[in-house]
Amino acid sequence: MALRTLATRKTLGALSTFPQQLRGLQTFTLPDLAYDYGALEPAISGDIMQLHHQKHHQTYITNYNKALEQLDDAIAKGDASTAVKLQSAIKFNGGGHVNHSIFWKNLAPTKEGGGDPPHGSLGWAIDQSYGSVEKLIAKMNAEGAAVQGSGWVWLAVDKELKRLVVETTANQDPLVTKGPSLVPLIGIDVWEHAYYLQYKNVRPDYLKNIWKVINWKYASEIYEKECP
Amino acid sequence: MVMASVTTLASHLTSTFTYAPEFCRLSQSSHSSQRPCTRKSVSGTISASIDLKPPPYALDALEPHMSKETLEYHWGKHHRGYVNNLNKQIEGTELDKMSLESIILASHNKGDILPAFNNAAQVWNHEFFWESMKPGGGGKPSGELLELINRDFGSFEALIQEFKLAATTQFGSGWAWLVYDIEDKKLVVLKSSNAINPLVLGSYPLLTLDVWEHAYYLDFKNLRPDYISTFLDKLVSWDAVSSRLEAAKASIEGK
């Protein structure tokens, strides 16, 4: 095992396209979407998808990587106060990367199942906890609309209690900040950049329409993994 | 007879207070027609709902630096929404008769925030923001304001850098401020999240920049730094900042 790791490191070291491995620090790159920017129309415009992915998410990644490098440096030097000072940038930008990576998987074009309601155990659990998918959606939309400023609304499963939970987070706080055993199933970005060009100030319209492209299949997979 | 005298007093107050940053405003909402006039006249005071104050310039006057479309949404929808929602929240409560600033302080409740705070503070913040800009703004401050800037920041350029940094690094929604600190009697740059403003932070606000995404998304998309630079280069009203500084010092000296 150790020999194999050594061999890998050497090989990678020879390829100078992996500078991050040379430093021993894992940095991040923008994940691709599984669909074209325009594929979620008319629920979410192609313009928004492109800006959201190529600019906003990319910026979180760029700044997260920068903060990680600075943190790595501070830790190596034993500079505790710098390490602590970097935490808000890490939480914000790292959270932004984590949250958006989930978000892209939460969405799918209608012709690939986006908007198709959940079946199987997740559908059953929703009916048990909320009465129906429609009632769950209404609850999530109400909570999403009520988020003051920027944030996210989530459907989650508590992996300890095996229970569905609706939660909101502020800014780019990841869901775990609301509970360490919460696993995100669906996250909806309610930052203004997620909808403003298309829906302007009318966040409730965005929330009503996004359900047409929500990828319940992905949510079900995650749920079934946590609650087999 | 009673109704007539209420109306006369009403129109007098309207004309006097149209552009003054005063607190007692008359309701222009449709609720006023439902209020029984006898209640108003018996109490001797006008039950004042908060009104939507327009910017001190036309909605297209800040073009091309801030578009008419942005003003139409930002003032016409967002700011108006805060006003309407606040009025709905305070109607019939003891907050209903209070000035906007008093509502803010009362609902901030020393940090144990009550429901009306968000709307009240955002109404105040947006009024203050429109008045922080003017057509043909930008340039440099002068007089006492410039002296204090040089004293407290080292130079005007240093202030600009610090203000830009605050505005850029306000994560999520919020505001960047130049304030006059009442205790230390000096200029300070602050940033705040969501609706928080210096009134509840114990300092005297002099200048603000809205960095909620709705403030710049239509004109600048994700490029907040460009929006910040444009505000400082082309829109900021240093005259307004100077007047506010004068008022700040006068009110502090007066205590």
Side-chain angles (χ1 to χ4, degrees):
Chain A
M1 172 87 163
L3 266 177
R4 204 177 342 135
T5 314
L6 191 58
T8 315
R9 278 243 171 85
K10 272 193 177 163
T11 316
L12 287 174
L15 304 167
S16 58
T17 48
F18 291 92
Q20 53 264 43
Q21 252 83 6
L22 279 174
R23 269 206 298 277
L25 177 68
Q26 166 96 44
T27 53
F28 299 87
T29 54
L30 187 65
D32 286 332
L33 301 190
Y35 39 82
D36 291 337
Y37 290 131
L40 303 183
E41 293 196 345
I44 308 179
S45 74
D47 282 351
I48 287 182
M49 288 306 294
Q50 182 164 6
L51 273 165
H52 205 172
H53 181 244
Q54 282 183 2
K55 304 289 180 188
H56 290 276
H57 189 174
Q58 179 63 66
T59 301
Y60 288 124
I61 288 171
T62 304
N63 291 336
Y64 183 40
N65 287 340
K66 211 175 354 184
L68 285 176
E69 283 166 21
Q70 290 171 334
L71 180 65
D72 199 40
D73 198 56
I75 288 173
K77 293 188 175 133
D79 182 355
S81 66
T82 300
V84 169
K85 203 163 50 159
L86 286 164
Q87 294 312 305
S88 67
I90 285 175
K91 183 180 180 190
F92 182 65
N93 292 297
H97 171 52
V98 165
N99 294 338
H100 285 86
S101 300
I102 297 168
F103 188 49
W104 309 135
K105 296 195 213 141
N106 285 154
L107 302 170
T110 48
K111 63 175 162 63
E112 284 164 39
D116 288 351
H119 303 292
S121 57
L122 178 56
W124 185 86
I126 288 172
D127 288 346
Q128 287 298 300
S129 301
Y130 300 101
S132 65
V133 175
E134 290 70 37
K135 292 210 177 102
L136 167 65
I137 288 174
K139 181 178 171 67
M140 286 184 71
N141 287 352
E143 297 209 16
V147 170
Q148 278 169 19
S150 310
W152 293 74
V153 59
W154 303 92
L155 174 67
V157 60
D158 185 317
K159 64 181 178 193
E160 303 297 320
L161 302 175
K162 307 294 185 200
R163 206 164 45 106
L164 292 176
V165 172
V166 170
E167 202 36 276
T168 59
T169 52
N171 298 333
Q172 293 299 349
D173 294 356
L175 182 59
V176 290
T177 58
K178 281 289 176 98
S181 49
L182 293 179
V183 176
L185 301 175
I186 294 173
I188 299 179
D189 190 346
V190 293
W191 279 64
E192 286 169 331
H193 65 240
Y195 60 88
Y196 208 81
L197 292 180
Q198 186 177 355
Y199 293 95
K200 307 291 193 304
N201 58 301
V202 194
R203 194 193 281 178
D205 281 359
Y206 159 70
L207 288 169
K208 206 165 34 155
N209 282 292
I210 198 172
W211 293 100
K212 298 177 185 159
V213 289
I214 287 291
N215 185 358
W216 283 106
K217 234 183 329 194
Y218 171 77
S220 292
E221 280 164 25
I222 306 291
Y223 180 77
E224 281 157 25
K225 212 176 351 181
E226 298 298 336
C227 302
Chain B
M1 199 9 211
V2 161
M3 281 180 70
S5 62
V6 166
T7 316
T8 312
L9 183 57
S11 47
H12 163 71
L13 278 173
T14 310
S15 57
T16 311
F17 290 107
T18 310
Y19 290 110
E22 288 306 313
F23 309 132
C24 191
R25 300 160 195 275
L26 288 190
S27 171
Q28 304 204 349
S29 72
S30 57
H31 293 300
S32 58
S33 56
Q34 263 100 44
R35 287 217 177 86
C37 290
T38 45
R39 182 162 61 97
K40 284 185 194 177
S41 57
V42 162
S43 69
T45 55
I46 300 296
S47 179
S49 285
I50 303 303
D51 63 5
L52 175 65
K53 195 174 165 188
Y57 36 76
L59 297 186
D60 63 356
L62 301 183
E63 291 210 331
H65 314 297
M66 185 177 284
S67 66
K68 178 186 184 194
E69 198 193 9
T70 290
L71 266 295
E72 281 172 343
Y73 280 101
H74 200 176
W75 175 76
K77 304 282 183 186
H78 291 272
H79 184 174
R80 186 188 302 272
Y82 290 124
V83 169
N84 292 344
N85 291 333
L86 177 62
N87 284 332
K88 274 187 235 166
Q89 274 176 322
I90 66 175
E91 190 179 12
T93 73
E94 74 251 353
L95 294 176
D96 198 357
K97 294 183 171 42
M98 291 163 69
S99 70
L100 183 58
E101 294 198 1
S102 303
I103 296 172
I104 291 169
L105 291 169
S107 58
H108 182 254
N109 198 25
K110 300 199 171 79
D112 191 14
I113 291 174
L114 301 173
F117 175 77
N118 191 63
N119 288 319
Q122 284 292 78
V123 171
W124 191 96
N125 295 340
H126 283 87
E127 279 181 17
F128 195 76
F129 178 48
W130 309 133
E131 291 160 7
S132 295
M133 296 187 286
K134 65 174 191 185
K140 276 183 79 151
S142 57
E144 186 178 18
L145 175 59
L146 183 58
E147 275 172 39
L148 288 194
I149 288 172
N150 287 331
R151 184 194 72 182
D152 296 334
F153 293 94
S155 66
F156 175 65
E157 290 69 32
L159 164 66
I160 294 298
Q161 283 320 302
E162 201 168 320
F163 191 86
K164 281 186 175 177
L165 184 66
T168 314
T169 59
Q170 175 48 42
F171 293 153
S173 312
W175 303 78
W177 305 87
L178 178 65
V179 306
Y180 190 64
D181 186 287
I182 296 169
E183 287 251 345
D184 297 343
K185 295 200 173 57
K186 55 188 268 240
L187 298 176
V188 178
V189 164
L190 297 177
K191 58 188 182 184
S192 64
S193 81
N194 294 354
I196 298 284
N197 67 28
L199 299 178
V200 303
L201 299 174
S203 43
Y204 202 105
L206 303 178
L207 173 66
T208 196
L209 173 61
D210 189 349
V211 293
W212 283 61
E213 284 175 329
H214 64 241
Y216 58 91
Y217 214 82
L218 295 180
D219 294 339
F220 293 93
K221 310 285 191 301
N222 59 303
L223 297 174
R224 195 197 279 190
D226 288 1
Y227 162 67
I228 297 165
S229 293
T230 300
F231 170 80
L232 290 167
D233 292 341
K234 308 284 187 188
L235 293 172
V236 62
S237 169
W238 292 114
D239 292 339
V241 180
S242 286
S243 319
R244 289 158 176 174
L245 176 63
E246 254 182 75
K249 299 186 89 187
S251 79
I252 291 168
E253 255 105 75
K255 286 199 168 110

